[in-house]
Amino acid sequence: IFEQCKNDERCRAAFPELKPNVYNTIQRLEENPIVIAMEDTTRFPSGQVILDGDLFIEALFGGLYNRNVIPLIPLFVKETRASNLNLLRVLVDQMAPDMQGPRSKSRGLQYAVYCFEDQPFNPTALIDSAQNEYPRLRPWYTSGAPRWNRHAICEAWHNARADSIEFQPVRSTIPALILGGEFDPVIPPSYGRIAAKTLQNSSFVEVPALGHGTIAYNQCTRDLVSRFLSSPSESLDTSCVADLPPVSFITDVHINGGVYPMT
């Protein structure tokens, strides 16, 4: 996001110093969180949401999953710095889960898989080393959020651990199609390129302007998957990807109080 906004004339003009502004906002929110009053006390029992540095990073991280949110990230940073409660209230209301409905994922299943497949190959020392590369984000990593406290969870969850063969690359001559979203925060395109190295008959395609999940978002990727599944051994024409537009950051808007919610 930093790189693309800097290279985009309109984005650079609208949001100069985006990278330092993100880190300055994290620090400022840690020191002085923004309190957002919420009317829905079912999802927000306290009647408010406290936007601190951790929640701000979570919002950025989560936004990278969604192709509709990615173009708004620089604007979101700017309006957060301006403490625009109108915008923040709408975003929180839209993004917060419906606690009365079914959960979209099972944490138990997630930890069962993670503790077996991932934890054995991610020792604490390795995680510490990775965190030290981004010291300004380290407070988020070490804040005790379940996302980064998985070692402790795994010790209590189960003691089954995968054999070292699970950490070896898959080597195969079976045809494979690998798609990677440009902004995917959890499975970045670099992972797909690594996988492709030992899949001899594979095609790796980086899809611009998308985050996590690429198949369903445009006709090009849907057609690629369809053609590959129909004829996996034939050469795959991926030229349509080159015609997909890059991310177009939202810069030409003015946000006022508006009328929300309207009943």
Side-chain angles (χ1 to χ4, degrees):
I1 293 291
F2 296 150
E3 180 181 344
Q4 294 229 16
C5 184
K6 186 177 180 178
N7 293 333
D8 183 305
E9 183 177 351
R10 291 169 59 247
C11 187
R12 184 174 65 249
F15 311 108
E17 305 298 321
L18 178 61
K19 184 175 182 177
N21 283 345
V22 166
Y23 289 114
N24 292 339
T25 301
I26 294 170
Q27 182 175 350
R28 188 165 69 178
L29 289 173
E30 282 300 303
E31 297 169 354
N32 296 291
I34 298 175
V35 179
I36 308 169
M38 305 300 298
E39 294 184 4
D40 185 348
T41 55
T42 300
R43 290 184 297 162
F44 312 101
S46 66
Q48 64 182 24
V49 168
I50 299 176
L51 178 59
D52 58 11
D54 283 356
L55 187 57
F56 177 69
I57 299 174
E58 283 284 349
L60 295 176
F61 182 84
L64 289 171
Y65 278 73
N66 191 321
R67 67 182 180 121
N68 296 318
V69 175
I70 291 171
L72 292 165
I73 287 179
L75 179 64
F76 168 68
V77 174
K78 177 183 178 181
E79 296 301 323
T80 301
R81 286 177 58 79
S83 299
N84 186 334
L85 292 177
N86 293 300
L87 172 68
L88 296 175
R89 186 177 295 111
V90 173
L91 289 175
V92 169
D93 191 35
Q94 293 294 320
M95 296 175 67
D98 182 357
M99 301 308 291
Q100 300 303 306
R103 294 188 65 87
S104 62
K105 66 174 64 175
S106 166
R107 291 295 184 191
L109 176 59
Q110 182 181 27
Y111 288 127
V113 174
Y114 173 83
C115 296
F116 182 78
E117 295 184 352
D118 285 11
Q119 192 265 357
F121 312 111
N122 286 282
T124 302
L126 182 62
I127 295 176
D128 287 342
S129 175
Q131 292 172 2
N132 288 335
E133 294 185 27
Y134 303 92
R136 288 179 290 186
L137 296 180
R138 190 173 181 86
W140 179 55
Y141 294 129
T142 58
S143 64
R147 182 190 304 284
W148 308 117
N149 198 27
R150 289 176 172 175
H151 276 63
I153 292 174
C154 288
E155 292 302 318
W157 197 247
H158 65 63
N159 59 8
R161 300 292 184 265
D163 186 85
S164 60
I165 194 174
E166 295 287 344
F167 198 54
Q168 300 303 309
V170 175
R171 300 181 184 277
S172 176
T173 58
I174 297 174
L177 173 61
I178 307 169
L179 301 176
E182 179 182 18
F183 296 107
D184 193 330
V186 288
I187 309 177
S190 58
Y191 286 14
R193 293 188 177 94
I194 291 172
K197 289 180 179 180
T198 55
L199 299 175
Q200 295 181 20
N201 292 320
S202 65
S203 297
F204 171 75
V205 180
E206 180 176 330
V207 186
L210 294 186
H212 191 64
T214 58
I215 294 177
Y217 290 120
N218 57 63
Q219 193 61 47
C220 171
T221 53
R222 288 194 293 269
D223 289 345
L224 286 179
V225 172
S226 178
R227 291 200 301 269
F228 173 77
L229 292 176
S230 297
S231 304
S233 298
E234 293 185 7
S235 178
L236 188 64
D237 180 4
T238 63
S239 59
C240 68
V241 176
D243 296 328
L244 295 176
V247 62
S248 178
F249 295 108
I250 304 300
T251 61
D252 54 348
V253 297
H254 173 74
I255 298 178
N256 56 32
V259 180
Y260 183 88
M262 178 178 286
T263 59

